[in-house]
Amino acid sequence: MITKTIGIIGGMYKQQHIKKIEEKYAVKVISNDGRSVRKKALLNIANQVDCLVIVRKFCGHEAMYGAKEAANNTDTPIIFPLETNMDKIIQSGMAALI
């Protein structure tokens, strides 16, 4: 039973790993590698998710600022964890939703 959707901007995660995380935490994960700075794409992701997680080590400044603007436009919570581990990223996103 998937209840929440978390968007991850930054990093390239394998689809197999994302599926395991989705099953483990009962969330849906939408990811973007952070290299795309198209505001329309970031706004589309922000509209689909309950929380936006920006992985700072793997995300460019333009994508980061674009995601922040998209989150503000859609009233989506946004967090910037230091971790790069997928489990820690999802846990941070879940904590932001509580």
Side-chain angles (χ1 to χ4, degrees):
M1 181 173 92
I2 295 174
T3 57
K4 300 291 181 184
T5 304
I6 296 177
I8 300 174
I9 308 293
M12 296 194 301
Y13 300 100
K14 294 182 179 179
Q15 207 57 29
Q16 291 174 321
H17 194 214
I18 290 174
K19 293 281 184 208
K20 287 180 185 177
I21 293 295
E22 287 178 338
E23 291 171 6
K24 182 176 180 180
Y25 292 101
V27 297
K28 182 176 183 204
V29 176
I30 297 174
S31 65
N32 182 310
D33 62 11
R35 293 185 283 176
S36 171
V37 294
R38 293 189 343 231
K39 289 186 180 183
K40 189 173 183 178
L42 296 171
L43 186 62
N44 187 24
I45 291 171
N47 280 326
Q48 295 177 28
V49 299
D50 297 309
C51 178
L52 210 56
V53 181
I54 308 299
V55 183
R56 294 187 293 182
K57 291 186 180 185
F58 301 135
C59 188
H61 282 90
E62 285 186 63
M64 195 180 311
Y65 294 131
K68 189 174 179 180
E69 183 180 323
N72 287 338
N73 289 343
T74 59
D75 294 326
T76 304
I78 185 168
I79 58 170
F80 300 89
L82 294 174
E83 296 88 3
T84 57
N85 179 297
M86 180 68 102
D87 284 312
K88 298 285 186 183
I89 291 169
I90 296 299
Q91 289 170 3
S92 299
M94 296 293 283
L97 292 172
I98 295 176

